[in-house]
Amino acid sequence: MFPIGHLALGYLSVALFRVGRRRPLPTGWTLAAALVGSQLPDLIDKPLAYYGVLVSGRSLGHSLLVMLPVLVVLVGVGYRLGYGEHATALVVATLSHYLGDTSRALLAGDWGSMQFLLWPLFPATDYAADSVPPWVRVLESLGDPRYNFQYALAAVAFGIWLVNRLDNRRARAER
């Protein structure tokens, strides 16, 4: 999944999580935390793999063995400091990143291609695309029908965000 797909899935996951808890849709710092969380595994792994520090663009930041303890601590510290909503949004969006990266394999029952989630218990896979700059990969994806779902998801997420923003603006104006 590309960054725009991760952004959309992260936003929608946090929005659904918040609606399920009878909370408003994410705005402000909660929205920012969701957007950062949606990219977090790639922000860790992709640059390090591109510059040869990590062998794979799906290893350290994509490992549940590494990230789950970090995320648990983050939520604990966030709640202790009064930023629990933001920390929770970051965690939910980060977890959605793993769903985005494994959705095809999950649907196909291809458990072997999800071994990166258990790095370092399983060796990291060397992906050919890790040597290609991310912005080049995104540009090459434009017009490729395999990515239409991600772009449609992004359009839905943007539409929900925009309607929410306009509703919030109108509500403030009526006060």
Side-chain angles (χ1 to χ4, degrees):
M1 185 169 268
F2 282 133
I4 195 164
H6 283 304
L7 281 170
L9 186 59
Y11 174 77
L12 293 171
S13 297
V14 171
L16 283 171
F17 182 80
R18 289 181 61 83
V19 166
R21 296 180 59 218
R22 301 184 196 279
R23 305 285 301 145
L25 294 178
T27 58
W29 288 110
T30 305
L31 176 61
L35 298 181
V36 169
S38 74
Q39 305 299 310
L40 188 58
D42 285 343
L43 290 173
I44 295 168
D45 286 347
K46 300 302 183 191
L48 295 175
Y50 182 70
Y51 289 108
V53 176
L54 293 174
V55 71
S56 174
R58 287 186 180 171
S59 53
L60 181 69
H62 284 77
S63 172
L64 293 176
L65 299 175
V66 173
M67 292 300 289
L68 283 179
V70 170
L71 296 173
V72 167
V73 168
L74 183 68
V75 167
V77 170
Y79 272 99
R80 186 165 252 258
L81 297 176
Y83 298 103
E85 296 273 331
H86 310 319
T88 301
L90 187 131
V91 168
V92 169
T94 300
L95 294 175
S96 80
H97 185 102
Y98 303 122
L99 178 62
D101 279 351
T102 59
S103 58
R104 286 185 182 177
L106 282 169
L107 292 173
D110 182 9
W111 311 113
S113 68
M114 294 184 284
Q115 289 181 2
F116 66 88
L117 294 173
L118 298 176
W119 180 88
L121 292 181
F122 292 96
T125 302
D126 186 15
Y127 297 97
D130 287 342
S131 63
V132 178
W135 56 89
V136 172
R137 289 185 17 239
V138 169
L139 289 175
E140 289 175 349
S141 76
L142 298 175
D144 186 333
R146 293 177 299 165
Y147 301 100
N148 287 348
F149 178 74
Q150 291 182 54
Y151 297 124
L153 197 64
V156 168
F158 178 75
I160 291 170
W161 172 82
L162 183 61
V163 167
N164 183 54
R165 180 154 173 90
L166 294 173
D167 283 348
N168 287 343
R169 188 173 280 177
R170 186 183 56 218
R172 280 195 304 269
E174 292 174 358
R175 285 187 217 155

